[in-house]
Amino acid sequence: MSTVLNVELRDRLAVLTLDRPGQLNAIGSETVDRLAQALNDVRDNDDVRALVLTGAGRAFSAGADISEIESFTAPGQFRAFVERLTDVYALLEEFPKPSVAAVHGFAFGGGLELALACDLRVVERGARLGLPEMKLGVLPGAGGTQRLPRLLPAAIAKQMILTGEPIDAERAWQLGLVNELTERGGALAAAEALAATLTAGAPLALAAGKRLIDHGLGMDLETAIAYERETVSVLFSTEDRAEGLKAFRERRPGDFRGR
């Protein structure tokens, strides 16, 4: 079994760790394939309610594996690599279980794009986040030009993308890109704690909430509210809704089963 990505299951969480510390967790085809496999495995595991993504060693990820990209001899090879990368990041973004990125050191290029595909981000003080592709004469190709402006003011996103200059964790937190800012060495524990609060929610409602927010942002307000109304009406008939009301009356945590 490849070790470019380690998966650990504990306490309703799946902790996915990029594990190429010698290469600063550069993301190549093998890592992308393992990530896809892990997501598919976790999707079918009812004991897992949330994901945490992190990196081994001194950084979250330096981005796409430049050595692999340099080995491509035809434009079609690069296009196929980018298509695979964007497909798997989309799989993560649309995943029915919520995800939290735990970022330390730095997240650059495809590494930051991976964190952007997660629902929430916990970042350590001193970490740097950036899309440096412009300095290589190209642009981000795994969703960076589209997800970053949806999470930051457009002018800030343009500055990061068009200059290739990173921002630090503190600035990212001030701008709202980061959900929690921790001291050095604290990102993973904080991300796991945040993810644990998510696992207490009803799985069907969590998945529906993600869809409502992500898809609703692309709708006009009237259509989005109608979408919300229909979604909530469906949730009302679930066993988890009945359990939630019962738990509220009995002043105890709900025992949600995803039904």
Side-chain angles (χ1 to χ4, degrees):
M1 180 70 70
S2 170
T3 59
V4 297
L5 181 80
N6 284 329
V7 180
E8 183 179 358
L9 306 181
R10 58 174 181 269
D11 300 327
R12 291 187 169 184
L13 298 180
V15 180
L16 280 54
T17 304
L18 301 174
D19 194 16
R20 299 182 71 199
Q23 294 77 35
L24 299 175
N25 298 320
I27 299 170
S29 296
E30 188 178 5
T31 301
V32 176
D33 289 344
R34 281 286 291 123
L35 178 58
Q37 177 187 338
L39 291 174
N40 287 324
D41 290 344
V42 169
R43 178 190 290 270
D44 297 331
N45 188 336
D46 292 337
D47 293 331
V48 174
R49 299 286 182 88
L51 313 178
V52 173
L53 281 82
T54 189
R58 63 188 183 90
F60 181 77
S61 174
D65 189 340
I66 298 297
S67 63
E68 180 176 349
I69 292 174
E70 287 180 333
S71 72
F72 297 152
T73 57
Q77 291 177 288
F78 178 73
R79 182 183 182 87
F81 174 77
V82 170
E83 286 182 353
R84 178 62 170 158
L85 192 60
T86 54
D87 286 349
V88 175
Y89 283 13
L91 181 64
L92 172 61
E93 183 177 48
E94 297 166 4
F95 204 65
K97 302 174 184 184
S99 57
V100 183
V103 178
H104 67 290
F106 49 82
F108 291 154
L112 178 57
E113 289 171 309
L114 176 61
L116 296 178
C118 292
D119 296 301
L120 306 174
R121 284 155 292 280
V122 175
V123 182
E124 294 180 8
R125 291 185 182 276
R128 293 182 297 154
L129 296 83
L131 297 171
E133 286 85 352
M134 179 62 71
K135 296 186 176 183
L136 301 176
V138 292
L139 286 170
T145 66
Q146 301 307 305
R147 290 194 178 98
L148 193 65
R150 286 167 167 78
L151 294 168
L152 287 179
I156 301 297
K158 284 182 179 179
Q159 182 177 354
M160 291 179 64
I161 292 165
L162 299 182
T163 67
E165 292 294 333
I167 60 175
D168 61 28
E170 291 79 1
R171 177 67 169 152
W173 182 70
Q174 292 168 354
L175 291 167
L177 182 61
V178 171
N179 297 88
E180 291 189 19
L181 185 66
T182 76
E183 298 303 320
R184 293 178 188 270
L188 181 56
E192 290 182 355
L194 178 57
T197 65
L198 297 171
T199 65
L204 295 176
L206 285 170
K210 283 190 57 171
R211 290 195 305 273
L212 278 172
I213 295 167
D214 292 341
H215 296 175
L217 286 171
M219 302 175 182
D220 63 81
L221 184 59
E222 183 179 0
T223 302
I225 289 175
Y227 179 36
E228 177 189 74
R229 182 173 60 245
E230 292 305 314
T231 301
V232 172
S233 296
V234 171
L235 290 174
F236 186 81
S237 64
T238 64
E239 293 180 18
D240 278 351
R241 194 279 308 172
E243 164 60 15
L245 181 58
K246 182 179 180 182
F248 175 78
R249 287 175 172 168
E250 296 175 357
R251 297 183 180 182
R252 60 172 174 79
D255 181 19
F256 300 117
R257 304 295 178 89
R259 298 194 292 266

